[in-house]
Amino acid sequence: MSINFSRMTQQEAEEMAAWHYPPPYDFYDMTADEEDYHEFIDPHRRSPHTYSAYKEGALIGFFTIHPTDEETVDVGLGLRPDLTGKGKGDSFVAAGLCFAERHYEARFFTLSVAEFNQRAVEVYRRAGFKETHRFMQKTNGGTYPFIAMKK
């Protein structure tokens, strides 16, 4: 069964904002960073390029696609907590990138991932992403090492 994407509704945003990941992945809880939380939950601040992902009628995650030039999009994504760490990331990432290719005519993709999250880094590498550089990012009340990747 395929993954379907649609523009995120307010109800979906509120549902996803309540998701909680087990440590150390609770770093990705929407409530872990007040500014990120408000940007996600406020329909006027949330990117119009944020999509809900459904599989077999169930909400499984989201993809945010930010065009950065005519051929490149920067992606942000989240998979429902109970689906993480179970081998579902590869198909989720592939479906989101395919959606971005079709709807944004994207040829290149960029993303950033917290350095500690080697589980996600491996998913992105299998999807064809390569590390471009490392940087420090202010988020969640501190500054953390991140990896920038491009495909």
mmCIF file with all atom_site columns, all heavy atoms in Angstrom, residues 118-131:
data_model
loop_
_atom_site.group_PDB
_atom_site.id
_atom_site.type_symbol
_atom_site.label_atom_id
_atom_site.label_alt_id
_atom_site.label_comp_id
_atom_site.label_asym_id
_atom_site.label_entity_id
_atom_site.label_seq_id
_atom_site.pdbx_PDB_ins_code
_atom_site.Cartn_x
_atom_site.Cartn_y
_atom_site.Cartn_z
_atom_site.occupancy
_atom_site.B_iso_or_equiv
_atom_site.pdbx_formal_charge
_atom_site.auth_seq_id
_atom_site.auth_comp_id
_atom_site.auth_asym_id
_atom_site.auth_atom_id
_atom_site.pdbx_PDB_model_num
ATOM 1   N N   . GLN A 1 118 ? 21.923 8.545  14.694 1.00 0.00 ? 118 GLN A N   1
ATOM 2   C CA  . GLN A 1 118 ? 22.560 7.717  13.677 1.00 0.00 ? 118 GLN A CA  1
ATOM 3   C C   . GLN A 1 118 ? 21.565 6.795  12.976 1.00 0.00 ? 118 GLN A C   1
ATOM 4   O O   . GLN A 1 118 ? 21.768 6.416  11.824 1.00 0.00 ? 118 GLN A O   1
ATOM 5   C CB  . GLN A 1 118 ? 23.713 6.916  14.296 1.00 0.00 ? 118 GLN A CB  1
ATOM 6   C CG  . GLN A 1 118 ? 24.909 7.787  14.630 1.00 0.00 ? 118 GLN A CG  1
ATOM 7   C CD  . GLN A 1 118 ? 25.467 8.495  13.395 1.00 0.00 ? 118 GLN A CD  1
ATOM 8   O OE1 . GLN A 1 118 ? 25.830 7.852  12.412 1.00 0.00 ? 118 GLN A OE1 1
ATOM 9   N NE2 . GLN A 1 118 ? 25.522 9.822  13.436 1.00 0.00 ? 118 GLN A NE2 1
ATOM 10  N N   . ARG A 1 119 ? 20.479 6.485  13.640 1.00 0.00 ? 119 ARG A N   1
ATOM 11  C CA  . ARG A 1 119 ? 19.441 5.660  13.019 1.00 0.00 ? 119 ARG A CA  1
ATOM 12  C C   . ARG A 1 119 ? 18.881 6.382  11.789 1.00 0.00 ? 119 ARG A C   1
ATOM 13  O O   . ARG A 1 119 ? 18.775 5.791  10.709 1.00 0.00 ? 119 ARG A O   1
ATOM 14  C CB  . ARG A 1 119 ? 18.353 5.400  14.063 1.00 0.00 ? 119 ARG A CB  1
ATOM 15  C CG  . ARG A 1 119 ? 17.333 4.380  13.695 1.00 0.00 ? 119 ARG A CG  1
ATOM 16  C CD  . ARG A 1 119 ? 16.494 3.990  14.879 1.00 0.00 ? 119 ARG A CD  1
ATOM 17  N NE  . ARG A 1 119 ? 15.578 5.055  15.276 1.00 0.00 ? 119 ARG A NE  1
ATOM 18  C CZ  . ARG A 1 119 ? 14.778 5.001  16.333 1.00 0.00 ? 119 ARG A CZ  1
ATOM 19  N NH1 . ARG A 1 119 ? 14.784 3.932  17.120 1.00 0.00 ? 119 ARG A NH1 1
ATOM 20  N NH2 . ARG A 1 119 ? 13.963 5.986  16.617 1.00 0.00 ? 119 ARG A NH2 1
ATOM 21  N N   . ALA A 1 120 ? 18.579 7.673  11.929 1.00 0.00 ? 120 ALA A N   1
ATOM 22  C CA  . ALA A 1 120 ? 18.065 8.452  10.802 1.00 0.00 ? 120 ALA A CA  1
ATOM 23  C C   . ALA A 1 120 ? 19.153 8.703  9.766  1.00 0.00 ? 120 ALA A C   1
ATOM 24  O O   . ALA A 1 120 ? 18.894 8.641  8.561  1.00 0.00 ? 120 ALA A O   1
ATOM 25  C CB  . ALA A 1 120 ? 17.486 9.775  11.290 1.00 0.00 ? 120 ALA A CB  1
ATOM 26  N N   . VAL A 1 121 ? 20.376 8.986  10.218 1.00 0.00 ? 121 VAL A N   1
ATOM 27  C CA  . VAL A 1 121 ? 21.485 9.225  9.292  1.00 0.00 ? 121 VAL A CA  1
ATOM 28  C C   . VAL A 1 121 ? 21.639 8.030  8.344  1.00 0.00 ? 121 VAL A C   1
ATOM 29  O O   . VAL A 1 121 ? 21.817 8.197  7.135  1.00 0.00 ? 121 VAL A O   1
ATOM 30  C CB  . VAL A 1 121 ? 22.799 9.508  10.048 1.00 0.00 ? 121 VAL A CB  1
ATOM 31  C CG1 . VAL A 1 121 ? 23.997 9.513  9.095  1.00 0.00 ? 121 VAL A CG1 1
ATOM 32  C CG2 . VAL A 1 121 ? 22.712 10.837 10.809 1.00 0.00 ? 121 VAL A CG2 1
ATOM 33  N N   . GLU A 1 122 ? 21.534 6.826  8.881  1.00 0.00 ? 122 GLU A N   1
ATOM 34  C CA  . GLU A 1 122 ? 21.660 5.623  8.047  1.00 0.00 ? 122 GLU A CA  1
ATOM 35  C C   . GLU A 1 122 ? 20.504 5.504  7.049  1.00 0.00 ? 122 GLU A C   1
ATOM 36  O O   . GLU A 1 122 ? 20.715 5.099  5.900  1.00 0.00 ? 122 GLU A O   1
ATOM 37  C CB  . GLU A 1 122 ? 21.769 4.369  8.914  1.00 0.00 ? 122 GLU A CB  1
ATOM 38  C CG  . GLU A 1 122 ? 23.097 4.252  9.612  1.00 0.00 ? 122 GLU A CG  1
ATOM 39  C CD  . GLU A 1 122 ? 24.290 4.328  8.658  1.00 0.00 ? 122 GLU A CD  1
ATOM 40  O OE1 . GLU A 1 122 ? 24.279 3.650  7.605  1.00 0.00 ? 122 GLU A OE1 1
ATOM 41  O OE2 . GLU A 1 122 ? 25.233 5.086  8.952  1.00 0.00 ? 122 GLU A OE2 1
ATOM 42  N N   . VAL A 1 123 ? 19.310 5.853  7.463  1.00 0.00 ? 123 VAL A N   1
ATOM 43  C CA  . VAL A 1 123 ? 18.164 5.841  6.539  1.00 0.00 ? 123 VAL A CA  1
ATOM 44  C C   . VAL A 1 123 ? 18.432 6.812  5.392  1.00 0.00 ? 123 VAL A C   1
ATOM 45  O O   . VAL A 1 123 ? 18.233 6.482  4.220  1.00 0.00 ? 123 VAL A O   1
ATOM 46  C CB  . VAL A 1 123 ? 16.848 6.208  7.264  1.00 0.00 ? 123 VAL A CB  1
ATOM 47  C CG1 . VAL A 1 123 ? 15.718 6.479  6.270  1.00 0.00 ? 123 VAL A CG1 1
ATOM 48  C CG2 . VAL A 1 123 ? 16.445 5.101  8.226  1.00 0.00 ? 123 VAL A CG2 1
ATOM 49  N N   . TYR A 1 124 ? 18.914 8.013  5.725  1.00 0.00 ? 124 TYR A N   1
ATOM 50  C CA  . TYR A 1 124 ? 19.179 9.013  4.694  1.00 0.00 ? 124 TYR A CA  1
ATOM 51  C C   . TYR A 1 124 ? 20.309 8.567  3.765  1.00 0.00 ? 124 TYR A C   1
ATOM 52  O O   . TYR A 1 124 ? 20.238 8.771  2.558  1.00 0.00 ? 124 TYR A O   1
ATOM 53  C CB  . TYR A 1 124 ? 19.489 10.370 5.326  1.00 0.00 ? 124 TYR A CB  1
ATOM 54  C CG  . TYR A 1 124 ? 18.386 10.876 6.223  1.00 0.00 ? 124 TYR A CG  1
ATOM 55  C CD1 . TYR A 1 124 ? 18.663 11.579 7.380  1.00 0.00 ? 124 TYR A CD1 1
ATOM 56  C CD2 . TYR A 1 124 ? 17.044 10.629 5.927  1.00 0.00 ? 124 TYR A CD2 1
ATOM 57  C CE1 . TYR A 1 124 ? 17.660 12.030 8.210  1.00 0.00 ? 124 TYR A CE1 1
ATOM 58  C CE2 . TYR A 1 124 ? 16.028 11.075 6.754  1.00 0.00 ? 124 TYR A CE2 1
ATOM 59  C CZ  . TYR A 1 124 ? 16.341 11.781 7.895  1.00 0.00 ? 124 TYR A CZ  1
ATOM 60  O OH  . TYR A 1 124 ? 15.340 12.233 8.717  1.00 0.00 ? 124 TYR A OH  1
ATOM 61  N N   . ARG A 1 125 ? 21.334 7.934  4.314  1.00 0.00 ? 125 ARG A N   1
ATOM 62  C CA  . ARG A 1 125 ? 22.424 7.426  3.467  1.00 0.00 ? 125 ARG A CA  1
ATOM 63  C C   . ARG A 1 125 ? 21.904 6.360  2.498  1.00 0.00 ? 125 ARG A C   1
ATOM 64  O O   . ARG A 1 125 ? 22.265 6.354  1.323  1.00 0.00 ? 125 ARG A O   1
ATOM 65  C CB  . ARG A 1 125 ? 23.551 6.863  4.331  1.00 0.00 ? 125 ARG A CB  1
ATOM 66  C CG  . ARG A 1 125 ? 24.394 7.940  4.950  1.00 0.00 ? 125 ARG A CG  1
ATOM 67  C CD  . ARG A 1 125 ? 25.632 7.379  5.632  1.00 0.00 ? 125 ARG A CD  1
ATOM 68  N NE  . ARG A 1 125 ? 26.410 8.484  6.153  1.00 0.00 ? 125 ARG A NE  1
ATOM 69  C CZ  . ARG A 1 125 ? 26.896 8.544  7.386  1.00 0.00 ? 125 ARG A CZ  1
ATOM 70  N NH1 . ARG A 1 125 ? 26.720 7.538  8.231  1.00 0.00 ? 125 ARG A NH1 1
ATOM 71  N NH2 . ARG A 1 125 ? 27.591 9.590  7.775  1.00 0.00 ? 125 ARG A NH2 1
ATOM 72  N N   . ARG A 1 126 ? 21.061 5.466  3.000  1.00 0.00 ? 126 ARG A N   1
ATOM 73  C CA  . ARG A 1 126 ? 20.497 4.441  2.115  1.00 0.00 ? 126 ARG A CA  1
ATOM 74  C C   . ARG A 1 126 ? 19.628 5.065  1.018  1.00 0.00 ? 126 ARG A C   1
ATOM 75  O O   . ARG A 1 126 ? 19.495 4.505  -0.067 1.00 0.00 ? 126 ARG A O   1
ATOM 76  C CB  . ARG A 1 126 ? 19.698 3.405  2.917  1.00 0.00 ? 126 ARG A CB  1
ATOM 77  C CG  . ARG A 1 126 ? 20.568 2.457  3.717  1.00 0.00 ? 126 ARG A CG  1
ATOM 78  C CD  . ARG A 1 126 ? 19.797 1.274  4.254  1.00 0.00 ? 126 ARG A CD  1
ATOM 79  N NE  . ARG A 1 126 ? 18.689 1.616  5.124  1.00 0.00 ? 126 ARG A NE  1
ATOM 80  C CZ  . ARG A 1 126 ? 18.773 1.742  6.450  1.00 0.00 ? 126 ARG A CZ  1
ATOM 81  N NH1 . ARG A 1 126 ? 19.928 1.568  7.076  1.00 0.00 ? 126 ARG A NH1 1
ATOM 82  N NH2 . ARG A 1 126 ? 17.696 2.041  7.158  1.00 0.00 ? 126 ARG A NH2 1
ATOM 83  N N   . ALA A 1 127 ? 19.045 6.230  1.316  1.00 0.00 ? 127 ALA A N   1
ATOM 84  C CA  . ALA A 1 127 ? 18.216 6.933  0.326  1.00 0.00 ? 127 ALA A CA  1
ATOM 85  C C   . ALA A 1 127 ? 19.070 7.706  -0.674 1.00 0.00 ? 127 ALA A C   1
ATOM 86  O O   . ALA A 1 127 ? 18.534 8.304  -1.606 1.00 0.00 ? 127 ALA A O   1
ATOM 87  C CB  . ALA A 1 127 ? 17.245 7.873  1.034  1.00 0.00 ? 127 ALA A CB  1
ATOM 88  N N   . GLY A 1 128 ? 20.384 7.727  -0.471 1.00 0.00 ? 128 GLY A N   1
ATOM 89  C CA  . GLY A 1 128 ? 21.266 8.399  -1.415 1.00 0.00 ? 128 GLY A CA  1
ATOM 90  C C   . GLY A 1 128 ? 21.829 9.722  -0.952 1.00 0.00 ? 128 GLY A C   1
ATOM 91  O O   . GLY A 1 128 ? 22.532 10.399 -1.699 1.00 0.00 ? 128 GLY A O   1
ATOM 92  N N   . PHE A 1 129 ? 21.538 10.125 0.274  1.00 0.00 ? 129 PHE A N   1
ATOM 93  C CA  . PHE A 1 129 ? 22.075 11.381 0.802  1.00 0.00 ? 129 PHE A CA  1
ATOM 94  C C   . PHE A 1 129 ? 23.540 11.210 1.194  1.00 0.00 ? 129 PHE A C   1
ATOM 95  O O   . PHE A 1 129 ? 23.950 10.146 1.668  1.00 0.00 ? 129 PHE A O   1
ATOM 96  C CB  . PHE A 1 129 ? 21.282 11.838 2.037  1.00 0.00 ? 129 PHE A CB  1
ATOM 97  C CG  . PHE A 1 129 ? 19.954 12.451 1.717  1.00 0.00 ? 129 PHE A CG  1
ATOM 98  C CD1 . PHE A 1 129 ? 18.829 11.655 1.560  1.00 0.00 ? 129 PHE A CD1 1
ATOM 99  C CD2 . PHE A 1 129 ? 19.819 13.822 1.585  1.00 0.00 ? 129 PHE A CD2 1
ATOM 100 C CE1 . PHE A 1 129 ? 17.596 12.213 1.272  1.00 0.00 ? 129 PHE A CE1 1
ATOM 101 C CE2 . PHE A 1 129 ? 18.589 14.393 1.295  1.00 0.00 ? 129 PHE A CE2 1
ATOM 102 C CZ  . PHE A 1 129 ? 17.478 13.581 1.144  1.00 0.00 ? 129 PHE A CZ  1
ATOM 103 N N   . LYS A 1 130 ? 24.289 12.295 0.999  1.00 0.00 ? 130 LYS A N   1
ATOM 104 C CA  . LYS A 1 130 ? 25.701 12.345 1.406  1.00 0.00 ? 130 LYS A CA  1
ATOM 105 C C   . LYS A 1 130 ? 25.879 13.540 2.330  1.00 0.00 ? 130 LYS A C   1
ATOM 106 O O   . LYS A 1 130 ? 25.266 14.589 2.137  1.00 0.00 ? 130 LYS A O   1
ATOM 107 C CB  . LYS A 1 130 ? 26.616 12.538 0.191  1.00 0.00 ? 130 LYS A CB  1
ATOM 108 C CG  . LYS A 1 130 ? 26.427 11.525 -0.911 1.00 0.00 ? 130 LYS A CG  1
ATOM 109 C CD  . LYS A 1 130 ? 27.256 10.308 -0.695 1.00 0.00 ? 130 LYS A CD  1
ATOM 110 C CE  . LYS A 1 130 ? 27.217 9.396  -1.905 1.00 0.00 ? 130 LYS A CE  1
ATOM 111 N NZ  . LYS A 1 130 ? 26.632 8.136  -1.683 1.00 0.00 ? 130 LYS A NZ  1
ATOM 112 N N   . GLU A 1 131 ? 26.751 13.374 3.319  1.00 0.00 ? 131 GLU A N   1
ATOM 113 C CA  . GLU A 1 131 ? 27.050 14.472 4.236  1.00 0.00 ? 131 GLU A CA  1
ATOM 114 C C   . GLU A 1 131 ? 27.757 15.591 3.493  1.00 0.00 ? 131 GLU A C   1
ATOM 115 O O   . GLU A 1 131 ? 28.694 15.336 2.736  1.00 0.00 ? 131 GLU A O   1
ATOM 116 C CB  . GLU A 1 131 ? 27.924 13.960 5.375  1.00 0.00 ? 131 GLU A CB  1
ATOM 117 C CG  . GLU A 1 131 ? 28.270 15.016 6.390  1.00 0.00 ? 131 GLU A CG  1
ATOM 118 C CD  . GLU A 1 131 ? 29.092 14.492 7.553  1.00 0.00 ? 131 GLU A CD  1
ATOM 119 O OE1 . GLU A 1 131 ? 28.949 13.312 7.930  1.00 0.00 ? 131 GLU A OE1 1
ATOM 120 O OE2 . GLU A 1 131 ? 29.882 15.297 8.086  1.00 0.00 ? 131 GLU A OE2 1
#
